[in-house]
């Protein structure tokens, strides 16, 4: 963890090459409806996986070594909580009875210097993004359209960017992206394999944000992640 002011978190969403299967019991008509929903979900998930490979992969990704899942099999390494059986979403049953569990490592996974470097790069990206937002707002106020931000969305009629929310996308951070690709294969994918049973080689990052909680924040309201697996890394206490 870092001693940097404010609270910072690395939020990761992951996809798998093949969605785990889960048995369902339903009438014939309901089964057909469920089958159509599952087919659509598989299509969406396949796109998420492909997008993740583009954002966080590369020609040398397969050359990066995979860590050993066996390093994460000791239950004493984790503090375990449950959200309650049946409350973890439609994929819960696919994880061998562990889909409702939350695992928190008992000890830090990354060094303080690594966390500090990620925060510093994210701070700089957020500051640059906010400066660009202000310039675009000034241009709009002067009657120009202003440059479109591919990450912008509409919130109360005002453009909202990751920078405005105090977030930085790791896929746009050169150092952070390279670091995360390596550490995911070395530590995070094997950890998730050991806890949830999905082979590490079938996992990819789908999205990654470094989020700064500094003062009042509009970022990250209560929500349910769309990713197959979510992993949060506290970069500061």
């Amino acid at each position: 963890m870092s001693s940097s002011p404010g609270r910072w978190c690395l939020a990761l969403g992951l996809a798998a090459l093949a969605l785990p299967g889960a048995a369902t019991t339903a009438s014939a008509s309901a089964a057909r409806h469920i089958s159509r929903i599952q087919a659509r979900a598989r299509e969406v998930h396949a796109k998420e996986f492909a997008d993740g490979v583009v954002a966080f992969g590369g020609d040398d990704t397969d050359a990066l070594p995979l860590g050993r899942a066996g390093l994460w099999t000791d239950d004493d390494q984790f503090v375990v909580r449950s959200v309650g059986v049946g409350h973890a979403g439609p994929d819960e049953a696919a994880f061998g009875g562990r889909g409702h569990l939350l695992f928190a490592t008992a000890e830090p996974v990354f060094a303080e210097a690594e966390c500090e470097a990620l925060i510093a790069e994210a701070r700089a990206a957020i500051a640059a993004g906010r400066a660009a937002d202000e310039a675009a707002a000034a241009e709009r106020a002067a009657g120009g359209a202003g440059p479109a931000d591919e990450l912008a969305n509409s919130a109360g009629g005002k453009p909202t960017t990751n920078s405005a929310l105090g977030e930085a996308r790791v896929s746009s951070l050169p150092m952070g992206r390279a670091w995360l690709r390596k550490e995911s294969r070395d530590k995070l994918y094997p950890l998730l394999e050991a806890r949830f049973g999905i082979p590490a080689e079938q996992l990819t990052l789908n999205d990654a944000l470094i989020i700064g909680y500094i003062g009042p924040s509009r970022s990250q309201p209560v929500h349910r992640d769309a990713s197959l697996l979510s992993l949060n890394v506290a970069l500061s206490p």
Side-chain angles (χ1 to χ4, degrees), residues 15-179:
L17 181 60
L19 277 173
T24 58
T25 301
S27 65
S29 60
R32 287 193 295 271
H33 182 61
I34 292 170
S35 178
R36 287 193 295 269
I37 293 174
Q38 290 177 331
R40 175 56 182 157
R42 284 191 291 269
E43 290 176 5
V44 172
H45 191 79
K47 184 179 185 304
E48 290 175 348
F49 185 89
D51 289 346
V53 170
V54 171
F56 295 99
D59 293 339
D60 62 338
T61 297
D62 291 339
L64 296 174
L66 271 173
R68 292 193 298 113
L71 297 177
W72 302 100
T73 55
D74 187 348
D75 288 342
D76 290 339
Q77 294 173 285
F78 299 89
V79 177
V80 185
R81 298 285 186 270
S82 172
V83 299
V85 175
H87 295 287
D91 296 314
E92 177 183 328
F95 294 99
R98 290 192 161 199
H100 64 99
L101 297 178
L102 304 175
F103 297 94
T105 58
E107 299 293 335
V109 175
F110 301 117
E112 181 175 346
E114 294 175 290
C115 297
E116 288 280 8
L118 289 171
I119 292 172
E121 190 176 28
R123 276 187 186 277
I126 291 169
R130 286 179 171 173
D133 292 344
E134 291 174 1
E139 186 175 344
R140 286 192 297 271
D149 188 327
E150 63 179 6
L151 299 177
N153 54 72
S154 178
K158 295 182 179 180
T160 302
T161 63
N162 288 116
S163 297
L165 295 173
E167 305 170 347
R169 289 196 177 276
V170 180
S171 57
S172 66
L173 305 179
M175 183 278 294
R177 178 177 178 271
W179 175 87

